[in-house]
Amino acid sequence: MPTSGSPGTAWPISQYVLKVHSRCDLACDHCYVYEHADQSWRGRPMVMDARTVAAAADRIAEHAAAHRLRRVSVVLHGGEPLLLGLDRMRQVLVALRRRIDPVSRLDLRMQSNGIRLSEPYCDLFAEYDVQVGVSLDGDRAANDRHRRFATGASSHPQVLRAIGLLNRLPYRRLFAGVLCTVDLRNDPIAVYEALRAVRPPRLDLLLPHATWANPPYRPAGRATPYADWLLAVHDRWSADGRPMPIRLFDSLYSTAAGGHSGSEWVGLDPADLVVVETDGTWEQVDSLKTAYDGAAATGLSVFTHTVDEVSRLPEIALRQIGLAGLAAQCRACPVVTQCGGGLFAHRYREGTGFDNPSAYCADLKELIVSLSARERGEPVAATEPVDQDGTDLPDGLLDRIAAGRTDADALRFLAESQLAITRAMLVEVADGAPATGRTGWDALVRLDRDAPDAVEETLRHPYVRVWAVDARRQLGTDQTAGDHLSCVAAAAAVRAGVSVELDVPIRSGVLHLPSLGAVTVAEPVTATAVLTVEPGTWRIRHPAGTTRVSFDGDLDASVPRVTGGRWQANRRLDFGGSTILFEDLDPHRDCHDWKAAERPDAPTLARWGEVLTAAWSSIETDLPYQAAAVLTGLRAVVPLVDDPTGTLRSSTARQAFASVGVALADPLAMAVMIAHEFQHSVLGALLDLCDLYTPSPTLRLAVGWRADPRPVEGVLQGTYAHLAITDMWRQRAGQEPPGGPAHKRYGQYQAWTAQAADALLGCGALTPAGDRFVRRLAEALTP
C-alpha cells in the first residue's frame, strides 16, 4: 500500500462511530454537535432506523472482509444513544453482531452521558458485550459548569448513579471509562480526586474543542495554561501511584519510547475513523464540526457508497499518512513524533485550512517537554532495552533459533524464562490486589513449597499469564482484579491433592480452574464462593447452595460424581505420540485476533482429533528440524470461529506462550498454520529476553504477503514465521515433479521471506542482535 494519499488508494478503516440518535437530554454548552459551527443535525432524522443500521453493518462487514481486518470497532454515539430505548437498542446490537462478527472481531462500545442508564440496559449490554463510556467533568461544581439539563438543573447525581451501576460486580466488565473535558476554571486536583473516586478503569482528559478561528479560552498572562492544568493532574496522579490509566499521559509516554499513541489526539498513528449519521451519510471524524459548517461532510452515503470509496477521499488519507500529512512547522518540530500535530480539527485556520499546528501547540509542546524532564533518569519498564547484543543468551541459542533450528533444549530454555516472567507478574498482582481472609496468593506460596511440580504445571498454562497481564493493568481501578489468583491456587491444589480453603470468584455461575476445567453451579450466581479442596473432593459453598465434585482415582481418567452442579473437564487430543490440551473453556483464552469458538460437540471434537493427528504427521515429515521443538513447546490449541468465506484462520496471542489459536481445516493446512503460529510464539519469547530492533512509530516496510506496509516487529514476526513455511514447501516440493503446485508455493514463500529479510537489514532499526538474527535467517533460506 502506498505511504501517501495517492488517488485511488483504499485505506483500511477499522473504527466507526454510529450516530444512532441525534438528540440529547442534556444541554451542554461546550458540545461540538449542537453548539459549534456545524448545525447539520437540524436537518437529519432523530433516530437511525433499522434499514440504515443494516446498511451500515453491511458496509462495515464488506470492508472488513475485503481487507481481512481482524478487529473492527463500532461506537454508538449521538446525541445520546440511550434515548433509543431498549427495543431499538437491541435491534441495533443484533444487526451489528449478526453481520460483522462472522467476518471480524467486533469491539462494540457506547459513549453516553449516563442519565438514562438502567439495570435493563446493563443486562442488554452484558448480553451483547458492549463497553460503556460515561462523560463526567469532575465534582458537582465542575460538572455543572457545562453538563446541565436545558432547565439549568444539575445532571451530576444521575451521572454518579450510572457510574455506580457500572461499578457493580455484574456490570464492572462493561465499564469502559470516564471522559472528562478540561476547563481551566475548574481546580485540577479537585477534578482528579472526584474522578478517581468513581474508580474508572480508564480516564480520558480532553482539551475543549477549539481552532485558530475560534481559539481556546486563555487567562491573561499565562502562556501555557492547559499544560499547567494537565501537569498538576499528572503530578498528583504519579504521587498516588498512577491508580488508573490516563490515556493522554500514557500515549505521550508510549510515543516517547517509540511506541504507538493509541489515540487521535497525539502521536502519528493513522486515524482510521469515520462516522455514520442517522440518515446514513458518511462523515469524517466528528470533531471537525467545530471548524466550520460542513467540515465533516463527504457527500457519500451507506446506501450508495462503500467504505473503500470513503477511504479514498483525500481528507481521509491526510489523517492516515502520519508525518507527511502535517504542516511544515510541525514536521520541523523536535517533539513531532509525540505531539503528531495534535487533534486534526484543532489545526483549522481560515485561509490555510488544516495545514497548521494545533491551536494548542504551545501547551502540547510544554506538556511533552515537562513530562520528559520529569521522567528523565527513570527506567521505563515496558521499553527498557533487555539485551541488544544477545550476550545474555546461552551460546548459540540466537543462531539456532534464527536459522529455524530451534531444538528441544532451546524450547525448554524459553519455557523456563516464560515461567519466570509469569511468576514475577503474579507477585505484582498479589502485591497490588486487596487481601482477603483466604487469599490465593497465600495458598500458592504454601503449595509452591509443598507441591512445586503442581504449581509449576499450573503456571505453565498459557492463559494464566494472559490473565496476569490484564490483572496488572486493572490494579487500583478494579478491586476484583486479583480474584482469579485463587482459581490458579485452587487448580494447583487439586492437581497436587492438597487440602486448601479459598475464596474464589463465580462468574455467571461458573468456577474456572485453569488447565483443569470448570464447575457450573446449579444456579447462575455471580459472587464470591468458598472452595474447600480435599484429596479427591471439592466443596463449593455459594449463595445458591453447595456444589460438590468427587473423583475416584486419577483426575484425568475418572468420571466425577457431581451434586448441585456440573463439571466440564479440559480435554486433550493425540499429538505426536503424546497429547495436547484442547483449550475451549478458559475464560481468558479469547485473546487471539479471531474470536475463540465455543466448546464443540463430540463429533466435532473427534474431527479435531483426526486433523491434529494427521497434522502432526505432516509437521514431522515436512519440518523435520522443528518437529521436536513443536512437540516440546506446544502446550495448547484454542479452537477459533470458522471464517464463513472459508478463509483459513490462525493466531498467536503475544502473552500466551506455547499456545496457538486455529480454526478447523484440512490436515495439511492445519500443519502449516500450527508451524506458522508456533514460530510467532518462539520469537515472542525471544523478544522478552533480547531486543532485536529499536521501536519506531513511523517506520513501515513493504512486504510481499501484505498490501500495506508493516511496522518493524510485524515484518520481523512475519519473516520468521515464513521461514518455517518456506521449509515446509521445500520439503513438499521434493516429493513432486518440477513445476508442480508445491514448487510454486515454495518459490513464492522463499521470495517473500528473502525480500522481507533484505528490507529488515536495510531499515536501520535492527540492534546488533537483530542484525545477526536476520542474517542467520536469510542464510537459512538457501537450500
Side-chain angles (χ1 to χ4, degrees), residues 297-548:
T298 67
L300 309 183
S301 165
V302 296
F303 297 108
T304 54
H305 297 85
T306 66
V307 181
D308 272 5
E309 290 175 288
V310 178
S311 74
R312 290 190 182 103
L313 295 172
E315 299 87 349
I316 300 291
L318 194 61
R319 295 170 50 244
Q320 293 258 10
I321 60 178
L323 191 65
L326 300 183
Q329 181 180 337
C330 290
R331 294 197 300 271
C333 180
V335 301
V336 66
T337 57
Q338 289 183 264
C339 170
L343 191 70
F344 188 80
H346 295 174
R347 305 173 200 169
Y348 178 72
R349 186 194 295 267
E350 293 176 359
T352 54
F354 296 96
D355 190 26
N356 308 287
S358 167
Y360 291 99
C361 176
D363 292 280
L364 289 171
K365 189 169 185 177
E366 176 62 25
L367 177 63
I368 291 167
V369 170
S370 296
L371 289 183
S372 178
R374 282 162 166 76
E375 290 293 298
R376 195 171 296 122
E378 299 177 11
V380 182
T383 57
E384 188 74 5
V386 181
D387 171 18
Q388 294 199 342
D389 297 302
T391 54
D392 294 340
L393 298 174
D395 289 344
L397 182 75
L398 185 71
D399 293 334
R400 295 200 307 277
I401 293 176
R405 299 296 190 267
T406 310
D407 54 29
D409 286 341
L411 252 297
R412 279 188 280 270
F413 173 80
L414 293 178
E416 290 305 314
S417 302
Q418 293 291 295
L419 178 61
I421 292 171
T422 299
R423 285 180 177 274
M425 287 183 176
L426 293 185
V427 172
E428 290 187 46
V429 172
D431 284 347
T436 65
R438 292 173 289 265
T439 68
W441 179 246
D442 290 342
L444 205 57
V445 170
R446 292 195 304 273
L447 287 163
D448 205 22
R449 181 190 63 229
D450 300 334
D453 290 346
V455 172
E456 181 176 304
E457 183 64 21
T458 304
L459 298 189
R460 288 189 191 277
H461 182 58
Y463 299 97
V464 169
R465 175 163 165 183
V466 171
W467 161 74
V469 170
D470 288 341
R472 227 174 29 150
R473 293 193 190 108
Q474 296 167 17
L475 290 174
T477 64
D478 185 352
Q479 294 297 301
T480 67
D483 286 2
H484 191 65
L485 190 58
S486 290
C487 299
V488 176
V494 168
R495 192 179 292 280
V498 173
S499 300
V500 296
E501 186 170 77
L502 295 164
D503 293 326
V504 292
I506 303 288
R507 309 293 193 204
S508 301
V510 182
L511 167 62
H512 290 278
L513 299 179
S515 79
L516 294 179
V519 181
T520 303
V521 304
E523 299 290 334
V525 298
T526 296
T528 299
V530 178
L531 170 67
T532 304
V533 176
E534 300 290 348
T537 301
W538 328 332
R539 187 173 68 257
I540 307 163
R541 300 194 302 277
H542 48 82
T546 301
T547 301
R548 186 187 299 272

Side-chain angles (χ1 to χ4, degrees), residues 720-759:
Y720 188 60
H722 285 145
L723 174 64
I725 307 309
T726 301
D727 209 19
M728 293 187 80
W729 284 114
R730 177 190 294 144
Q731 295 288 336
R732 291 180 185 180
Q735 308 302 314
E736 68 176 30
H743 282 269
K744 294 178 181 177
R745 298 302 296 276
Y746 163 56
Q748 180 185 53
Y749 275 96
Q750 202 274 348
W752 280 350
T753 312
Q755 177 269 324
D758 286 344

